[in-house]
């Protein structure tokens, strides 16, 4: 209970910072899981700089972007937990935000890995559609629950909790070598 009160206090005082840091931590954890559990890397092979890049993206790009986006949705459609409001928010999230966000995210991952603009374009053409389709299999249901049941201040946290698994997939997919 004490931890929850401390979290709520920090969230109230430093909303964007808390959302950004928790997102960065969960994205770094997703990359670590991808490397250790999916790619089966041993500790000597573990790419700490890759995990740091995912954490950096979470803290400086994903967390702030999601925080602003959810506030924009709340401003546009309100904060009621009606089915109609949740459906409108989910539709905007999945049809407008997700396609744009994912392309920028993939480009950023590759940019931080030192790839050229041409390499980034090739990576986008290779991975974007697969990632977007998997996104549409996972996120509409999560977002409906999020927008229907979860207060605005906790929406990024819920999404990033679920996204621990999504981030694992994104890390694996964006780091996977071409066969």
């Amino acid at each position: 209970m004490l931890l929850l009160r401390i979290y709520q206090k920090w969230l109230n005082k430093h909303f964007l910072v808390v959302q950004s840091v928790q997102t960065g931590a969960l994205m770094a954890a997703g990359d670590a899981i991808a490397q250790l559990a999916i790619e089966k890397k041993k500790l000597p092979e573990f790419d700490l700089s890759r995990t740091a890049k995912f954490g950096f993206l979470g803290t400086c790009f994903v967390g702030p972007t999601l925080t602003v986006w959810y506030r924009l949705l709340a401003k546009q459609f309100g904060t009621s937990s009606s089915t109609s409001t949740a459906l409108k928010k989910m539709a905007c999230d999945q049809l407008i935000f997700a396609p744009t966000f994912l392309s920028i995210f993939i480009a950023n991952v590759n940019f931080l890995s030192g790839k050229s603009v041409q390499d980034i374009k090739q990576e986008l053409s290779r991975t974007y559609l697969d990632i977007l389709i998997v996104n549409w299999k996972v996120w509409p249901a999560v977002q409906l629950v999020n927008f229907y049941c979860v207060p605005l201040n906790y929406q990024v946290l819920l999404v990033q909790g679920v996204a621990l698994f999504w981030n694992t997939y994104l890390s694996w997919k964006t780091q996977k070598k071409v066969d």
Side-chain angles (χ1 to χ4, degrees):
M1 238 15 211
L2 176 62
L3 216 49
L4 182 59
R5 281 197 307 261
I6 292 169
Y7 174 78
Q8 289 173 328
K9 181 180 175 183
W10 274 83
L11 191 61
N12 290 334
K13 279 186 165 185
H14 309 284
F15 186 72
L16 184 61
V17 171
V18 170
Q19 300 285 20
S20 298
V21 169
Q22 76 191 12
T23 301
L26 288 166
M27 286 192 66
D31 178 73
I33 292 167
Q35 289 190 59
L36 297 171
I38 296 173
E39 298 167 28
K40 307 283 191 218
K41 288 185 176 183
K42 304 292 183 218
L43 281 179
E45 303 168 304
F46 187 85
D47 186 349
L48 187 57
S49 70
R50 179 177 132 182
T51 300
K53 290 172 190 172
F54 263 78
F56 174 79
L57 274 176
T59 302
C60 297
F61 172 64
V62 178
T65 302
L66 290 178
T67 300
V68 170
W69 174 243
Y70 291 157
R71 290 203 169 190
L72 180 67
L73 287 175
K75 185 177 181 181
Q76 181 67 34
F77 299 110
T79 56
S80 79
S81 59
S82 71
T83 304
S84 171
T85 299
L87 283 168
K88 289 174 190 173
K89 288 179 178 181
M90 185 275 294
C92 283
D93 186 69
Q94 291 303 300
L95 298 174
I96 298 168
F97 180 78
T100 305
F101 176 82
L102 287 171
S103 64
I104 295 168
F105 178 82
I106 294 165
N108 278 330
V109 166
N110 285 280
F111 175 76
L112 287 176
S113 295
K115 292 188 179 172
S116 70
V117 172
Q118 185 60 34
D119 289 341
I120 292 170
K121 287 178 182 178
Q122 287 175 342
E123 188 65 20
L124 278 164
S125 69
R126 186 179 74 79
T127 62
Y128 175 74
L129 190 57
D130 286 346
I131 291 172
L132 184 61
I133 290 169
V134 172
N135 169 86
W136 284 336
K137 291 177 182 178
V138 172
W139 288 106
V142 172
Q143 291 295 47
L144 277 175
V145 170
N146 195 30
F147 295 137
Y148 187 76
C149 301
V150 179
L152 178 61
N153 281 357
Y154 300 102
Q155 288 178 354
V156 172
L157 178 61
L158 173 88
V159 164
Q160 286 305 314
V162 174
L164 181 58
F165 302 101
W166 177 248
N167 296 334
T168 300
Y169 167 76
L170 283 179
S171 173
W172 169 76
K173 187 69 175 177
T174 60
Q175 301 300 314
K176 185 177 171 187
K177 304 298 180 226
V178 179
D179 298 329

